[in-house]
Amino acid sequence: MKNHLKALRGERAWTQAQLAEMLGVSRQTVVAIEKGKYDPSLPLAFGIARVFGLPIEKIFIAE
């Protein structure tokens, strides 16, 4: 699944480690999601949307 996670994170000047800490996951999980190698669980996807204050549709792109 494609996403805008890296760009959104960059706009806020957050590191992958900072985002991972906010989400309660490892930095490697954030890296894998950003690269499209890992699709987050629904609860994690909603957590990501909550952290960015955006609707989930603005972050993730269905292919």
Side-chain angles (χ1 to χ4, degrees), residues 1 3 16 27-39:
M1 176 180 298
N3 62 73
Q16 291 170 332
R27 186 187 64 79
Q28 290 82 2
T29 298
V30 171
V31 170
I33 294 169
E34 285 185 354
K35 290 184 175 183
K37 295 184 178 196
Y38 173 73
D39 289 339

Side-chain angles (χ1 to χ4, degrees), residues 35-53:
K35 290 184 175 183
K37 295 184 178 196
Y38 173 73
D39 289 339
S41 65
L42 213 47
L44 179 54
F46 280 107
I48 292 168
R50 189 170 36 255
V51 164
F52 285 104

Side-chain angles (χ1 to χ4, degrees), residues 45-62:
F46 280 107
I48 292 168
R50 189 170 36 255
V51 164
F52 285 104
L54 294 169
I56 202 165
E57 301 84 19
K58 296 287 185 185
I59 300 171
F60 297 95
I61 306 153

Side-chain angles (χ1 to χ4, degrees), residues 2 4-6 9 11 18 20 22 24 28 41 43-44 49 53 62:
K2 292 188 179 186
H4 300 291
L5 197 58
K6 186 174 183 177
R9 183 176 57 76
E11 289 171 5
Q18 289 171 320
M22 288 183 247
Q28 290 82 2
S41 65
L44 179 54

Side-chain angles (χ1 to χ4, degrees), residues 17-28:
Q18 289 171 320
L19 179 57
E21 187 174 327
M22 288 183 247
L23 296 170
V25 299
S26 70
R27 186 187 64 79
Q28 290 82 2

